[in-house]
Amino acid sequence: MKKIEAIIKPFKLDEVKQALAREGVEGMTVSEVRGFGRQGGHSHVYRGAQYSVDFVPKIKIELLVEDERATVCAEVIEKAGRTGGIGDGKIFISPVDDIIRVRTGEHCRNAI
């Protein structure tokens, strides 16, 4: 099993979600997060004073898939989440040793 974590721009969430659904992904966890990378935040002017926003709002998507589907799902996220501009995000793929469904105690694939 693989865990895919993707950080994307908030307005791309619906496109990514729909693209993953077409690929057969049935579940995911979505969190609102803030961070910065090379883009380094941005500046705003409020009532004539300029101030810096160091952390940019992003969306973090987490999903678990079988090993053989991880590359395809990552490519789907990459394509649907891309704007071509700076700050489009990152995708991380990690191995998962075990999954346990709390309600039933099922493990691995049965727990997804």
Side-chain angles (χ1 to χ4, degrees):
M1 299 299 295
K2 300 284 186 190
K3 179 180 183 180
I4 299 175
E5 295 176 80
I7 309 294
I8 61 170
K9 291 184 175 184
F11 68 89
K12 297 299 279 182
L13 176 59
D14 284 337
E15 288 178 57
V16 170
K17 180 183 164 202
Q18 290 170 5
L20 286 170
R22 286 192 297 273
E23 199 56 46
V25 173
E26 296 176 349
M28 67 181 73
T29 300
V30 176
S31 307
E32 293 180 7
V33 296
R34 295 183 305 148
F36 69 91
R38 289 186 182 156
Q39 120 189 60
H42 55 277
S43 297
H44 284 290
V45 176
Y46 180 71
R47 295 188 178 184
Q50 183 171 347
Y51 66 96
S52 176
V53 177
D54 294 331
F55 294 101
V56 180
K58 300 286 185 174
I59 294 292
K60 180 178 182 180
I61 300 170
E62 298 173 272
L63 58 137
L64 296 170
V65 295
E66 293 84 6
D67 289 346
E68 56 275 4
R69 295 184 61 205
T71 301
V72 171
C73 288
E75 289 170 354
V76 166
I77 295 168
E78 179 184 2
K79 184 178 177 184
R82 179 180 293 136
T83 67
I86 194 165
D88 273 352
K90 299 273 190 287
I91 300 170
F92 306 94
I93 303 172
S94 307
V96 174
D97 293 332
D98 198 4
I99 304 162
I100 303 166
R101 185 185 309 259
V102 174
R103 179 177 54 86
T104 63
E106 294 171 296
H107 285 255
C108 293
R109 287 188 166 101
N110 294 330
I112 293 182

